[in-house]
Structures are given as structure tokens and as C-alpha cells.
Amino acid sequence: MITAETTIFEELESNVRGYCRAWPTVFTTASGSWLRAEDGKEYLDFFAGAGALNYGHNNPVLKRPLLDYIAGDGITHGLDMSTAAKRRLLETLRDTVFAPRGLEYKVQFPGPTGANAVEAALKLARKVTGRETIISFTNAFHGMSLGALSVTGNAAKRAGAGVPLVHAAHMPYDGYFDNTTADFQWMERVLDDTSSGFDRPAAVIVETVQGEGGVNIARPEWLRHLSELCTARGILLIVDDVQMGCGRTGPFFSFEIAGITPDIVTLSKSIGGYGLPLALVLFKPELDVWTPGEHNGTFRGNNPAFITAQAALEHFWSDSTLQASTEAKGQRIGAALTQAAEYFPGISARGRGLVHGVAFDDPSQAGKVCQVAFEHGLLVETSGSLDEVVKLLPPLTVTDDEVEHGLRVLTGAIGTVCGKER
């Protein structure tokens, strides 16, 4: 829908733009779980910056220290120079995240995006092992740069590379065969058969919950099996926690539920707290074989993001309050969506923590539900290989009343599209 207010976007902005097509309005302000448009309409945000706003929009706990830092002429651009802001972040990360979990990771600051964190992780794994191949999984999404695309499953996204995507192999994710094939049967066979033609990989990269892939959830026992498989064969395990980390599934790290310790972890999106660009690569100390400057980036020293990241860790992760709240709200959403799936034909529900998906047997219905939801003031997006899943990513700070309101709008939209009112 083109209006006078959106004409300039049609005239000058590239066709590559996406979300603005699904949500044809001009947003002006945001607070907590809500965005406001120029026409005064308010929208409940169950998108949260694709998972970059776990603590909501303009959270005052994060905004105040950021404003104070800027007003005090704090360093904005620091490359990898040592700054007071970086020191406070590292100290807080150590004390509130690593120490309570018995982790001894080293911390790398790559460029400030999730894709760059993935690129750095893949490069490091290859450097450490001297091997080239990376194993990833069906329906995986790890970013849009070439290395990240090589371990991404979606055909449409891969096609955008324009060149062959090499040195990667894809294995079935948990549940890919509807539990009719034993876990890792094929993977273990080709890895252990010297005549399989399958080269020993440098690493395996996995999402514990595939967000872009359709909210596909790996069972804890599957993740443990994968970790044991990698350890036994000298293969590094990389967990991509860009979207599912920072409490999205409940615990700070999404892999905690499985009781595993990955060799390498990638973080971005909500690690910056406020929505400011920041990415981290965490890895076991013995893997720190980088030479100075071997992987760098002009904006790896985004100090304002260090300030908000430190404030978020200190405020939200010094105790278990946020985790408990996330799990309780997630159970409420899960129960409501399960009930809806029992009532409306042709849909199913799945989720963990505050990431949930409603899958439609008729893929075209998912986009229609998102459109109707938008018209009624709720922002949700589609995911999955056929855009057949409506994905819910509300801020972790969403209130109980907002959860109920969002569920009413969503189930109403499902009823409208499926032709069956509740």
C-alpha cells in the first residue's frame, strides 16, 4: 500500500527492503513492547527486532546509562583499543554469566553483526583444526554473508550468493525424518567410514532452536548426542546463539537445557541490550590461536553498546528473576497456542521460552494471519522454508496483560483466516 507518507521509500529505497512491505506504515516512537506510527496507531511488538530487543524498546534501565555515557563524552568508536566501557563489560560478563555457569570462555569482539560472529567462528575452527568442511543442518540460518550462507539451508537465501557455496555439508536436524530414523545414523556412518568420501570436518554449527527455519526445536538429548559425537571425533561444536541466546529460551544460553559446553558460541542481537550493534564470539581458551588483527572490523569497538550490554547483564542476569518470568510467560503462550491448534484445523504449535511458532498445513495462511494481526495492531512475522510458520518473539519484558492481549489478537487473526471464529 503506497501512501504519501511512504512514497519516498518506494522512490529511493532498494527493492531489497522486506519488513516494511509486510507492515506498511511509518513508525515514529517505541517504548517497552509497543511501537507507534505517524497516524497515532499503536502496535504490540511480538517481533522485537528479530530478537535484538529482548529487553524491549528504549528500556529506561539501559537508556539512562547510555545517555549519561554520551553526555560525558565517553568513547564512541574504539576499534579494539582498551576502554573503561569494554573493561566493565568484560568484568560483568565474567561475573554474571561465566562464573555462575562454570564457563572459562575467551571473548572476541568481531564486527557487530551475527553474520560476522559466525564468519569469525568458522575461520577460527578451520585455523585450529586445519580442516575445511563445516557441518550444519537442514533448515539452518546463520547469516547472509558468504561463509554464513554456506552453512545456511534455505535455498532462496543461498541462491542470492551468486557463487558456489563450498566447504560445507548439511545433515538432518532433530525431527527432520519425523522421528522415524535414529539420531545421527547417517552422520556417524559417513564420519567413521574411511571410504565414505566424506572429509573429517573442522566443526559442526547448530542452533538449538531454529528461528528463521520455522521454530524447530532440538531436544536436549539430541544436543547431548551431538556434543558427544563431536568430542569423540575431535570435531569442534559451535552453537549459534545469535537469536536464541540472552535469555530468549529461558536460561541465558539456549544450550544450558542440554547441559553441554560448546567449544565456540556466537552471540549478537540482544547481547547489546538496547538494540545497538554488538557481537561476541566466545571460545575455550585453548582455541585462542588468533594472531593480532587476524580477524578484525572497523566497528568492533562500539562502546555505547558495551555500556548498554553491561547494564543489561548487571540488571537482568544477576539473579534468576528474568529466567523464571520468561519460562512462566512461555508456558502461558504455549498452552494458549496448543489450545488454538486443537480448535483450528490444519495448524500446530511449538515453542520454548519466549520463542513460539504456529505452523500451517496451508503455507499461504501464515502470511495472511500476520497481515490480519497487523491490521489489528500486532506485529508478528513468518518463518520456515515456505513461510508457513507464524513466529512469536515478544520482548522478555512483556507484561502478562500484553501477553494476553497479543494472544487474543493472534487467535482472532487465525480464526479470520481459517474461517472459524472462536
Side-chain angles (χ1 to χ4, degrees):
M1 179 175 63
I2 302 174
T3 66
E5 293 77 14
T6 60
T7 299
I8 188 64
F9 305 109
E10 298 286 336
E11 289 179 355
L12 293 184
E13 191 176 2
S14 166
N15 286 332
V16 78
R17 65 192 186 280
Y19 291 115
C20 58
R21 299 179 189 274
W23 302 325
T25 191
V26 179
F27 297 103
T28 54
T29 62
S31 178
S33 301
W34 295 86
L35 290 112
R36 295 166 187 83
E38 279 184 330
D39 61 6
K41 186 171 181 177
E42 295 189 338
Y43 296 85
L44 181 58
D45 187 2
F46 273 26
F47 172 67
L53 295 166
N54 281 4
Y55 313 110
H57 296 270
N58 289 302
N59 191 308
V61 171
L62 311 179
K63 181 164 61 175
R64 185 70 265 164
L66 175 61
L67 293 175
D68 290 344
Y69 183 76
I70 294 171
D73 290 336
I75 300 293
T76 295
H77 182 277
L79 293 164
D80 67 359
M81 295 184 291
S82 298
T83 65
K86 184 194 286 187
R87 179 173 58 204
R88 289 193 295 271
L89 171 57
L90 289 171
E91 290 171 344
T92 305
L93 191 64
R94 177 195 63 197
D95 296 342
T96 64
V97 177
F98 294 170
R101 294 163 178 80
L103 300 173
E104 296 182 348
Y105 286 136
K106 296 291 288 292
V107 181
Q108 178 181 355
F109 295 86
T113 69
N116 197 278
V118 168
E119 297 285 356
L122 302 184
K123 286 171 63 175
L124 180 61
R126 288 172 171 137
K127 180 177 174 67
V128 167
T129 64
R131 306 179 207 135
E132 296 177 346
T133 303
I134 306 292
I135 289 178
S136 61
F137 293 93
T138 50
N139 292 306
F141 178 79
H142 296 288
M144 298 296 280
S145 51
L146 290 182
L149 275 177
S150 72
V151 291
T152 288
N154 185 281
K157 291 181 173 64
R158 289 172 60 85
V163 297
L165 297 171
V166 297
H167 307 307
H170 303 271
M171 292 290 173
Y173 192 72
D174 191 14
Y176 187 75
F177 292 113
D178 296 325
N179 300 316
T180 59
T181 300
D183 294 343
F184 306 110
Q185 178 179 341
W186 167 251
M187 185 172 173
E188 289 178 332
R189 180 68 180 270
V190 297
L191 285 173
D192 295 340
D193 182 357
T194 57
S195 295
S196 68
F198 193 93
D199 295 329
R200 182 63 57 91
V204 170
I205 185 168
V206 65
E207 304 156 275
T208 67
V209 178
Q210 295 180 328
E212 299 303 311
V215 192
N216 305 312
I217 301 171
R219 294 164 295 145
E221 56 267 31
W222 187 89
L223 293 169
R224 284 193 290 271
H225 191 161
L226 176 63
S227 178
E228 292 163 2
L229 182 157
C230 290
T231 299
R233 294 163 178 80
I235 301 167
L236 298 179
L237 177 61
I238 305 169
V239 168
D240 182 342
D241 239 0
V242 167
Q243 187 172 81
M244 296 303 158
C246 302
R248 174 54 57 183
T249 66
F252 184 83
F253 294 111
S254 70
F255 56 80
E256 291 182 55
I257 191 173
I260 63 174
T261 303
D263 298 292
I264 304 174
V265 181
T266 60
L267 292 174
S268 185
K269 291 188 183 284
S270 279
I271 191 60
Y274 199 73
L276 299 177
L278 178 64
L280 304 177
V281 184
L282 315 178
F283 42 83
K284 294 178 177 178
E286 62 269 24
L287 303 181
D288 193 10
V289 297
W290 291 118
T291 58
E294 192 172 5
H295 185 88
N296 55 40
T298 302
F299 294 98
R300 65 194 185 279
N302 183 7
N303 279 250
F306 298 166
I307 293 296
T308 53
Q310 185 269 331
L313 293 176
E314 186 174 65
H315 182 81
F316 292 105
W317 294 102
S318 293
D319 58 32
S320 60
T321 301
L322 182 64
Q323 177 176 337
S325 171
T326 296
E327 291 170 349
K329 292 168 187 171
Q331 289 171 3
R332 169 64 189 120
I333 292 175
L337 296 182
T338 298
Q339 185 179 25
E342 294 170 350
Y343 183 82
F344 296 108
I347 71 172
S348 59
R350 51 186 179 257
R352 175 180 291 163
L354 280 176
V355 51
H356 287 265
V358 181
F360 291 79
D361 292 348
D362 177 356
S364 69
Q365 291 182 327
K368 294 174 183 176
V369 167
C370 291
Q371 181 180 1
V372 174
F374 170 76
E375 292 169 356
H376 289 83
L378 177 68
L379 302 183
V380 286
E381 68 164 341
T382 59
S383 67
S385 58
L386 300 174
D387 284 326
E388 76 280 11
V389 177
V390 174
K391 182 171 69 173
L392 282 67
L393 288 174
L396 307 187
T397 52
V398 66
T399 67
D400 291 338
D401 287 344
E402 288 167 344
V403 166
E404 296 303 323
H405 175 70
L407 289 171
R408 284 194 299 272
V409 175
L410 179 62
T411 54
I414 294 172
T416 298
V417 172
C418 294
K420 184 178 181 181
E421 300 293 339
R422 296 197 72 179

